[in-house]
Amino acid sequence: GQQVMQIPQYQHVQEGEDFTTYCNSSTTLSNIQWYKQRPGGHPVFLIQLVKSGEVKKQKRLTFQFGEAKKNSSLHITATQTTDVGTYFCAGPINGGSQGNLIFGKGTKLSVKP
Amino acid sequence: EAGVAQSPRYKIIEKRQSVAFWCNPISGHATLYWYQQILGQGPKLLIQFQNNGVVDDSQLPKDRFSAERLKGVDSTLKIQPAKLEDSAVYLCASSFRITEAFFGQGTRLTVV
């Protein structure tokens, strides 16, 4: 069945270091979304990428969507303690456009001050 | 604007008991989702509603789980009877357009 995989599962960084998480789908995606979940919190939408090769930036966060629309990455420059949490990528189930998503297992980021 | 409201926040039940969760989406959001998030995993879609109609319930264990969205606003998710493996956080989400989903705080269910 359709799978969305994320690596690494965990990442521990010193404050100020960069961080990257990678997302790979077993199927071509019409779009990919990224969510952040703080410890004890709920997922919060960060961004949606739609176009092949698309790159979007949000302050220190850079999101990329692969040319084949099967992979994506999130890069954080100069991490801060406020970046702590689990980052999930998610894509439409079975290539659809109904909004129902399949999530990866997430990458848990911890930042040491 | 007010966010997605869910209740209760926590629930502990014994296996084979029944339980119900309630969700009130953001006003004006036609699409409502229920997700199950097991510890250490990403959310898994259980059911999606568009207004009061079901769009996708292919991953809902229908022998024990049921959900409804009467009048296209509030929704309830029920488990009957509960199993130990149902221990998870149940997240309700809503969206205006089929893009970003707004999640509620979730209900943490523990089945003992």
Side-chain angles (χ1 to χ4, degrees):
Chain A
Q2 182 185 14
Q3 290 186 329
V4 174
M5 296 148 286
Q6 284 186 254
I7 55 169
Q9 190 174 358
Y10 303 96
Q11 186 76 57
H12 309 282
V13 301
Q14 192 77 33
E15 189 172 21
E17 291 182 339
D18 292 357
F19 159 77
T20 304
T21 174
Y22 299 92
C23 175
N24 288 286
S25 169
S26 60
T27 61
T28 301
L29 301 171
S30 58
N31 68 81
I32 194 158
Q33 298 182 21
W34 285 90
Y35 289 79
K36 177 184 178 181
Q37 187 171 25
R38 287 198 164 95
H42 57 280
V44 175
F45 175 84
L46 294 177
I47 206 162
Q48 177 179 267
L49 304 172
V50 178
K51 298 177 183 177
S52 170
E54 188 170 12
V55 178
K56 286 188 175 180
K57 291 190 176 184
Q58 289 180 350
K59 297 183 180 178
R60 295 178 296 104
L61 278 62
T62 301
F63 303 85
Q64 291 188 327
F65 199 10
E67 294 291 339
K69 302 183 78 172
K70 294 182 72 174
N71 57 75
S72 181
S73 65
L74 158 59
H75 179 82
I76 302 178
T77 303
T79 55
Q80 300 175 358
T81 54
T82 53
D83 296 325
V84 164
T86 301
Y87 293 84
F88 294 98
C89 63
I93 291 176
N94 295 329
S97 58
Q98 299 286 355
N100 43 4
L101 299 172
I102 178 170
F103 281 76
K105 289 190 174 182
T107 295
K108 187 173 183 178
L109 172 66
S110 62
V111 180
K112 186 175 181 181
Chain B
E1 62 182 4
V4 176
Q6 289 189 246
S7 67
R9 286 297 308 278
Y10 306 92
K11 191 75 177 178
I12 301 175
I13 61 172
E14 295 183 350
K15 59 184 178 183
R16 291 188 289 274
Q17 285 188 324
S18 62
V19 64
F21 313 125
W22 174 82
C23 172
N24 184 267
I26 293 173
S27 177
H29 283 195
T31 308
L32 184 146
Y33 314 83
W34 283 102
Y35 283 87
Q36 178 194 59
Q37 187 173 25
I38 293 173
L39 187 64
Q41 298 186 19
K44 174 188 172 184
L45 179 73
L46 293 175
I47 190 167
Q48 178 190 0
F49 292 95
Q50 182 76 16
N51 295 307
N52 61 347
V54 175
V55 174
D56 185 352
D57 64 355
S58 58
Q59 299 186 99
L60 186 73
K62 298 180 186 63
D63 58 333
R64 298 185 300 107
F65 286 65
S66 64
E68 60 183 9
R69 190 184 184 196
L70 300 176
K71 300 181 181 178
V73 182
D74 294 9
S75 178
T76 57
L77 176 69
K78 296 180 181 178
I79 307 175
Q80 181 180 8
K83 293 184 176 182
L84 296 176
E85 59 261 35
D86 298 331
S87 294
V89 175
Y90 290 84
L91 294 162
C92 178
S94 69
S95 63
F96 175 64
R97 294 168 295 184
I98 304 176
T99 51
E100 66 179 288
F102 293 84
F103 284 83
Q105 296 284 356
T107 297
R108 183 177 298 277
L109 173 68
T110 303
V111 182
V112 298

